[in-house]
Amino acid sequence: MRHLFDRETSQRFFAELQDSPHVSRFGCMISEFSYSGRVKLCPDGRFFRFTIQFDEYQHCLAENKGDKSAAISQLIQTQLARISRLNALPARFNNAPPLFSTSTENWQQPTDSLAALLFSQLGLATDEHITLQLRLAFYDDVTLIAIAPKPHPSSNNWRYFLACQGDFYILNGLAAPIIEVNRKASLRLHPSQVLDYLSFFSFFSQGEQGSFFLITRPEQCALPEVLSKEKKSELRFDSGIEPYYFSPEVSAPDDAGNYRVRALVYYGNSLFAGIFTIGQDGAIKMTNEQRLASHLPYALSICLTP
């Protein structure tokens, strides 16, 4: 592919990407048999990876009756059209509810006193933000609060806090705030609540590539729609979620009260089958992992801090 995507051709592609309103930044790499790139989409910051193989070029060349310039233009336009359509898919991320949810509770309007206390401590204007609260059934008296700027919050504009006994703890991607709340509040890990707690801890305790997102159902709102629903369109990628999906499995507690959970995890741009142990004190360890798929078109980027 090096002799096909020469400097002039690459400049054509770069110019098209720079002019696209759907792209904030990009990078490309060329090898002997493929031309690949990584594109950050606007406005939600997700990444799309594409690869143009040599046989695709040959197919386009035949369609364009041997016209190299026309064939390369077709390849470029095909990728730009895909980027445009991919970017349109997360329309639900505008005016979107918080990405995290539990299996049993719905987001509700908070009490005026709770919202006022939080905004007073943050030094923010209440009338400039949307505020929601979610009851966490695995605690005795802890509330998850989400705030986002008005008027149209996107999925990654939400900021999350735990309200516990008059104090607020910002969930900033570190495990420390959750561990502190676990020491302060009464954690109740009944079998029906283990999966929700694991999803909560994994979502708000991030690694180098972001949150460990447990897929408890294939249509969850944080998942790129193209991976789970587009069965017949051209946006159906080879590495989708459906072939790998399995329902989470929660074992009965052992003699020490520890649970074992096997679940599908989306982390970065890969899918894993992970096995976790959860102690009665809320401590979580991943005891085993199996990578099922990598290089998915989207890296699952969840932003917890401004």
Side-chain angles (χ1 to χ4, degrees), residues 198 259-262 273-278 283-290:
L198 177 60
Y259 290 90
R260 180 179 179 273
V261 178
R262 180 175 181 265
I275 297 178
F276 303 84
T277 58
I278 301 100
I284 292 177
K285 293 181 180 179
M286 181 183 285
T287 58
N288 192 21
E289 63 181 55
Q290 177 188 3

Side-chain angles (χ1 to χ4, degrees), residues 147-219:
I147 67 171
K150 291 182 178 178
H152 303 302
S154 67
S155 61
N156 273 338
N157 279 348
W158 292 94
R159 301 293 173 257
Y160 301 88
F161 305 82
L162 290 177
C164 177
Q165 301 177 19
D167 295 321
F168 294 97
Y169 301 82
I170 183 171
L171 295 171
N172 56 4
L174 302 177
I178 300 176
I179 293 172
E180 189 170 348
V181 169
N182 287 350
R183 292 172 180 159
K184 186 176 182 178
S186 296
L187 182 64
R188 302 178 300 179
L189 284 183
H190 301 306
S192 62
Q193 298 161 343
V194 169
L195 189 61
D196 276 342
Y197 175 75
L198 177 60
S199 298
F200 163 77
F201 193 99
S202 300
F203 185 93
F204 291 109
S205 301
Q206 296 187 321
E208 292 182 358
Q209 298 183 51
S211 295
F212 297 84
F213 190 87
L214 263 67
I215 303 176
T216 56
R217 58 188 188 280
E219 71 278 5

Side-chain angles (χ1 to χ4, degrees), residues 9-297:
T9 302
S10 293
Q11 288 296 334
R12 287 169 56 190
F13 204 174
F14 293 169
E16 294 277 7
L17 289 172
Q18 288 172 340
D19 290 342
S20 172
H22 308 297
V23 175
S24 64
R25 68 173 187 261
F26 59 89
C28 297
M29 182 175 66
I30 191 167
S31 67
E32 184 177 357
F33 299 106
S34 67
Y35 183 84
S36 58
R38 187 170 184 260
V39 176
K40 186 175 183 180
L41 300 176
C42 292
D44 66 337
R46 294 174 181 272
F47 287 97
F48 166 60
R49 292 170 175 81
F50 67 86
T51 299
I52 300 173
Q53 302 287 353
F54 182 66
D55 57 355
E56 293 180 71
Y57 165 76
Q58 290 181 309
H59 178 74
C60 288
L61 189 64
E63 285 189 342
N64 289 276
K65 300 180 180 179
D67 187 329
K68 174 185 172 182
S69 179
I72 290 177
S73 293
Q74 182 177 331
L75 288 170
I76 292 174
Q77 292 304 317
T78 297
Q79 294 303 325
L80 290 171
R82 176 173 284 185
I83 289 169
S84 176
R85 291 188 62 189
L86 280 169
N87 196 67
L89 286 175
R92 64 191 184 287
F93 287 89
N94 297 318
N95 304 304
L99 284 180
F100 176 78
S101 62
T102 66
S103 62
T104 58
E105 303 291 337
N106 294 319
W107 287 94
Q108 307 288 340
Q109 293 295 323
T111 62
D112 291 339
S113 59
L114 185 63
L117 182 59
L118 173 62
F119 281 98
S120 174
Q121 292 195 17
L122 294 176
L124 298 176
T126 306
D127 58 356
E128 295 178 359
H129 292 80
I130 297 171
T131 314
L132 297 172
Q133 73 174 38
L134 183 69
R135 177 177 171 269
L136 299 177
F138 40 82
Y139 287 115
D140 274 343
D141 187 21
V142 176
T143 301
L144 179 63
I145 300 176
I147 67 171
K150 291 182 178 178
H152 303 302
S154 67
S155 61
N156 273 338
N157 279 348
W158 292 94
R159 301 293 173 257
Y160 301 88
F161 305 82
L162 290 177
C164 177
Q165 301 177 19
D167 295 321
F168 294 97
Y169 301 82
I170 183 171
L171 295 171
N172 56 4
L174 302 177
I178 300 176
I179 293 172
E180 189 170 348
V181 169
N182 287 350
R183 292 172 180 159
K184 186 176 182 178
S186 296
L187 182 64
R188 302 178 300 179
L189 284 183
H190 301 306
S192 62
Q193 298 161 343
V194 169
L195 189 61
D196 276 342
Y197 175 75
L198 177 60
S199 298
F200 163 77
F201 193 99
S202 300
F203 185 93
F204 291 109
S205 301
Q206 296 187 321
E208 292 182 358
Q209 298 183 51
S211 295
F212 297 84
F213 190 87
L214 263 67
I215 303 176
T216 56
R217 58 188 188 280
E219 71 278 5
Q220 279 168 285
C221 67
L223 300 180
E225 187 172 326
V226 65
L227 295 180
S228 58
K229 293 184 179 179
E230 295 288 334
K231 293 183 178 180
K232 296 182 180 179
S233 79
E234 64 179 359
L235 296 181
R236 178 66 178 177
F237 290 92
D238 292 337
S239 297
I241 282 176
E242 286 184 341
Y244 304 99
Y245 177 75
F246 60 87
S247 298
E249 304 163 6
V250 181
S251 69
D254 60 19
D255 293 340
N258 300 320
Y259 290 90
R260 180 179 179 273
V261 178
R262 180 175 181 265
L264 184 63
V265 182
Y266 195 149
Y267 178 62
N269 69 328
S270 299
L271 289 176
F272 295 87
I275 297 178
F276 303 84
T277 58
I278 301 100
Q280 281 295 315
D281 62 352
I284 292 177
K285 293 181 180 179
M286 181 183 285
T287 58
N288 192 21
E289 63 181 55
Q290 177 188 3
R291 189 189 299 267
L292 302 178
S294 60
H295 305 297
L296 295 175

